Amino acid sequence: MREALRQARKGLGLTSPNPAVGAVIVKDGVKISAGYHKKAGFPHAEIEALKKLGGNAHGCTIYVTLEPCNHYGRTPPCTEAILASGITRVVVGAKDPNPGVPGRGSQFLKEHGIEVTLGVLEEECRTLNEAFNKYITARRPFLIAKSAITLDGWTGTSTGQSRWITNEKSRQFVHRLRAQADAVLVGVGTVLADNPRLTVRLRHSTKKQPMRIIVDTHLRTPLDARVLDRISNSQTLIAIGPDVSREVLERHEKSGSTVVVCPVDQGRIDLTALMDILAAREITSILVEGGSSIIGSVLRKALVDKYYIFMAPKILGGGNGIPMAAGIGPKSMDGCIGLRDMQVRRFDDDIMIVGYPYYG
């Protein structure tokens, strides 16, 4: 199953709105084939592994990170291919979380004489597809918030300067996070201050760029902003309020961007409503890389599913910097947002803290 997980990770960021899945076929204790799901509409992991054997796996065991599908979607059901191949045992990491098909794949295989073992490395297999699991059950994107801060908690100086808080290794890891997400989201303040591209720039090339989403109530994004360029294969979506003039709107639409009118809440884009709009566009995961304003907004709306906080060994040493999250916080420590299942990792002198929030 660990090898199946390794196979599945090859598809991370490429399979949306499908999950990343890996499969390994074993005979007499020896791996004879492996495969992974490469892209929505392409063969599933089980089929990729079976193809390498000409569809014939008589007497073999297949290890698969996610329960084989038993329904027709973009591709035929994998359960039927498993039956036809002669496989006698199926080992499953995690059950299919789709509320419309719980356990049907495993049940179908059992009813046709296949031995099925469930729950092997289940937690690791579920975590691999945590974004898909949230999307398929709640019909909302999985929201990841990323912040880079000094040891005393600032994400920028009083002048707004924030390049660079963290080191090159930390920034390269953030590009990997971008590559695995369907979209990167920032507020217009970040666009005006930093003029970012928000593309994936890794040492090793990537075949996919995330959608770039700008939260811009009054459509202040300049037409020459780098986030609007079409050099990469990345799309740009701008979420605006209902009061933008038709003239300004048309200029942006001609630039090739997608402009979406959203409801507003207290003069700002209603981020909860925006999540529903993005889910309808099959956006399953979003990396929020914005500044303190947008981070504060998603935090107070309890929209964040996972945090990545990078701490650099720097002390701003003042009280007039830009905080990680802007806005009014709780009046007592009891109102703080906690983190569970935390992990800590070093990138040279930088420290990365990863955790899942729980809201009291």
Side-chain angles (χ1 to χ4, degrees), residues 259-282:
V259 181
V260 177
V261 179
C262 298
V264 295
D265 179 18
Q266 298 182 349
R268 295 175 175 239
I269 296 295
D270 184 334
L271 294 174
T272 303
L274 177 59
M275 293 304 109
D276 292 331
I277 290 168
L278 296 174
R281 292 173 174 262
E282 294 191 326

Short mmCIF file of all heavy atoms in Angstrom, two decimals, residues 259-282:
data_model
loop_
_atom_site.label_atom_id
_atom_site.label_comp_id
_atom_site.label_asym_id
_atom_site.label_seq_id
_atom_site.Cartn_x
_atom_site.Cartn_y
_atom_site.Cartn_z
N VAL A 259 -14.50 37.30 -15.26
CA VAL A 259 -14.97 38.17 -14.18
C VAL A 259 -16.30 37.64 -13.67
O VAL A 259 -17.23 37.41 -14.46
CB VAL A 259 -15.13 39.63 -14.66
CG1 VAL A 259 -15.60 40.52 -13.52
CG2 VAL A 259 -13.81 40.14 -15.23
N VAL A 260 -16.38 37.41 -12.37
CA VAL A 260 -17.58 36.84 -11.75
C VAL A 260 -18.13 37.83 -10.74
O VAL A 260 -17.40 38.28 -9.84
CB VAL A 260 -17.26 35.49 -11.07
CG1 VAL A 260 -18.49 34.95 -10.36
CG2 VAL A 260 -16.75 34.48 -12.08
N VAL A 261 -19.39 38.18 -10.87
CA VAL A 261 -20.04 39.08 -9.93
C VAL A 261 -20.52 38.27 -8.72
O VAL A 261 -21.23 37.27 -8.88
CB VAL A 261 -21.22 39.82 -10.57
CG1 VAL A 261 -21.90 40.74 -9.55
CG2 VAL A 261 -20.74 40.63 -11.78
N CYS A 262 -20.12 38.71 -7.53
CA CYS A 262 -20.45 37.98 -6.29
C CYS A 262 -21.27 38.86 -5.36
O CYS A 262 -21.19 40.09 -5.40
CB CYS A 262 -19.17 37.57 -5.57
SG CYS A 262 -18.12 36.45 -6.49
N PRO A 263 -22.02 38.23 -4.48
CA PRO A 263 -22.67 39.00 -3.41
C PRO A 263 -21.62 39.64 -2.50
O PRO A 263 -20.49 39.16 -2.41
CB PRO A 263 -23.48 37.94 -2.65
CG PRO A 263 -23.57 36.77 -3.57
CD PRO A 263 -22.34 36.80 -4.41
N VAL A 264 -22.00 40.72 -1.85
CA VAL A 264 -21.09 41.37 -0.91
C VAL A 264 -21.66 41.28 0.50
O VAL A 264 -22.87 41.15 0.70
CB VAL A 264 -20.84 42.85 -1.29
CG1 VAL A 264 -20.11 42.95 -2.62
CG2 VAL A 264 -22.13 43.63 -1.34
N ASP A 265 -20.76 41.35 1.46
CA ASP A 265 -21.13 41.32 2.87
C ASP A 265 -20.37 42.45 3.55
O ASP A 265 -19.14 42.43 3.61
CB ASP A 265 -20.76 39.96 3.47
CG ASP A 265 -21.09 39.86 4.95
OD1 ASP A 265 -21.89 40.68 5.44
OD2 ASP A 265 -20.55 38.96 5.62
N GLN A 266 -21.08 43.47 4.03
CA GLN A 266 -20.49 44.64 4.67
C GLN A 266 -19.46 45.30 3.75
O GLN A 266 -18.38 45.68 4.17
CB GLN A 266 -19.86 44.26 6.01
CG GLN A 266 -20.88 43.73 7.02
CD GLN A 266 -20.26 43.39 8.36
OE1 GLN A 266 -19.05 43.35 8.52
NE2 GLN A 266 -21.10 43.15 9.34
N GLY A 267 -19.83 45.43 2.48
CA GLY A 267 -18.99 46.14 1.52
C GLY A 267 -17.86 45.34 0.92
O GLY A 267 -17.09 45.86 0.12
N ARG A 268 -17.72 44.06 1.28
CA ARG A 268 -16.66 43.22 0.75
C ARG A 268 -17.27 41.96 0.13
O ARG A 268 -18.40 41.57 0.46
CB ARG A 268 -15.67 42.81 1.85
CG ARG A 268 -14.90 43.99 2.43
CD ARG A 268 -14.04 43.52 3.58
NE ARG A 268 -13.21 44.61 4.07
CZ ARG A 268 -11.88 44.58 4.10
NH1 ARG A 268 -11.24 43.51 3.65
NH2 ARG A 268 -11.19 45.60 4.55
N ILE A 269 -16.50 41.32 -0.73
CA ILE A 269 -16.97 40.07 -1.33
C ILE A 269 -17.35 39.08 -0.25
O ILE A 269 -16.60 38.85 0.70
CB ILE A 269 -15.88 39.46 -2.24
CG1 ILE A 269 -15.57 40.37 -3.42
CG2 ILE A 269 -16.28 38.08 -2.73
CD1 ILE A 269 -16.71 40.56 -4.39
N ASP A 270 -18.52 38.49 -0.38
CA ASP A 270 -18.96 37.45 0.55
C ASP A 270 -18.18 36.18 0.19
O ASP A 270 -18.48 35.50 -0.79
CB ASP A 270 -20.47 37.23 0.39
CG ASP A 270 -21.01 36.23 1.41
OD1 ASP A 270 -20.25 35.37 1.87
OD2 ASP A 270 -22.22 36.29 1.71
N LEU A 271 -17.17 35.87 0.99
CA LEU A 271 -16.27 34.77 0.67
C LEU A 271 -16.96 33.41 0.76
O LEU A 271 -16.61 32.47 0.04
CB LEU A 271 -15.06 34.80 1.60
CG LEU A 271 -14.14 36.02 1.40
CD1 LEU A 271 -13.05 36.04 2.45
CD2 LEU A 271 -13.54 36.01 0.00
N THR A 272 -17.96 33.30 1.63
CA THR A 272 -18.71 32.04 1.71
C THR A 272 -19.46 31.80 0.41
O THR A 272 -19.46 30.69 -0.14
CB THR A 272 -19.68 32.07 2.89
OG1 THR A 272 -18.96 32.32 4.11
CG2 THR A 272 -20.42 30.75 3.02
N ALA A 273 -20.09 32.84 -0.11
CA ALA A 273 -20.79 32.72 -1.39
C ALA A 273 -19.81 32.44 -2.52
O ALA A 273 -20.11 31.67 -3.44
CB ALA A 273 -21.58 34.00 -1.67
N LEU A 274 -18.63 33.05 -2.45
CA LEU A 274 -17.62 32.81 -3.48
C LEU A 274 -17.19 31.35 -3.49
O LEU A 274 -16.99 30.77 -4.57
CB LEU A 274 -16.40 33.71 -3.24
CG LEU A 274 -15.22 33.51 -4.19
CD1 LEU A 274 -15.63 33.76 -5.63
CD2 LEU A 274 -14.05 34.42 -3.80
N MET A 275 -17.08 30.73 -2.31
CA MET A 275 -16.71 29.31 -2.27
C MET A 275 -17.74 28.45 -3.00
O MET A 275 -17.40 27.49 -3.70
CB MET A 275 -16.57 28.84 -0.82
CG MET A 275 -15.41 29.46 -0.06
SD MET A 275 -13.80 29.21 -0.85
CE MET A 275 -13.46 30.88 -1.42
N ASP A 276 -19.01 28.79 -2.85
CA ASP A 276 -20.06 28.04 -3.56
C ASP A 276 -19.95 28.23 -5.07
O ASP A 276 -20.14 27.29 -5.85
CB ASP A 276 -21.44 28.49 -3.07
CG ASP A 276 -21.72 28.10 -1.63
OD1 ASP A 276 -21.16 27.09 -1.17
OD2 ASP A 276 -22.48 28.82 -0.95
N ILE A 277 -19.63 29.46 -5.49
CA ILE A 277 -19.48 29.74 -6.91
C ILE A 277 -18.31 28.95 -7.49
O ILE A 277 -18.40 28.37 -8.58
CB ILE A 277 -19.28 31.26 -7.13
CG1 ILE A 277 -20.58 32.00 -6.82
CG2 ILE A 277 -18.81 31.55 -8.55
CD1 ILE A 277 -20.41 33.51 -6.74
N LEU A 278 -17.21 28.89 -6.76
CA LEU A 278 -16.04 28.17 -7.23
C LEU A 278 -16.26 26.67 -7.23
O LEU A 278 -15.78 25.96 -8.12
CB LEU A 278 -14.82 28.54 -6.37
CG LEU A 278 -14.40 30.01 -6.45
CD1 LEU A 278 -13.29 30.30 -5.46
CD2 LEU A 278 -13.95 30.37 -7.87
N ALA A 279 -16.99 26.17 -6.25
CA ALA A 279 -17.30 24.74 -6.22
C ALA A 279 -18.12 24.34 -7.45
O ALA A 279 -17.91 23.26 -8.02
CB ALA A 279 -18.06 24.38 -4.94
N ALA A 280 -19.03 25.21 -7.86
CA ALA A 280 -19.84 24.93 -9.04
C ALA A 280 -18.97 24.87 -10.30
O ALA A 280 -19.36 24.26 -11.30
CB ALA A 280 -20.93 25.99 -9.20
N ARG A 281 -17.79 25.47 -10.25
CA ARG A 281 -16.84 25.41 -11.36
C ARG A 281 -15.85 24.27 -11.19
O ARG A 281 -14.81 24.23 -11.86
CB ARG A 281 -16.10 26.75 -11.48
CG ARG A 281 -17.00 27.91 -11.93
CD ARG A 281 -16.28 29.25 -11.86
NE ARG A 281 -17.11 30.30 -12.43
CZ ARG A 281 -16.99 30.78 -13.67
NH1 ARG A 281 -16.05 30.29 -14.47
NH2 ARG A 281 -17.78 31.74 -14.11
N GLU A 282 -16.12 23.37 -10.27
CA GLU A 282 -15.30 22.19 -10.00
C GLU A 282 -13.90 22.55 -9.49
O GLU A 282 -12.92 21.86 -9.77
CB GLU A 282 -15.21 21.27 -11.22
CG GLU A 282 -16.54 20.64 -11.59
CD GLU A 282 -16.41 19.55 -12.63
OE1 GLU A 282 -15.52 19.64 -13.51
OE2 GLU A 282 -17.20 18.57 -12.58
#
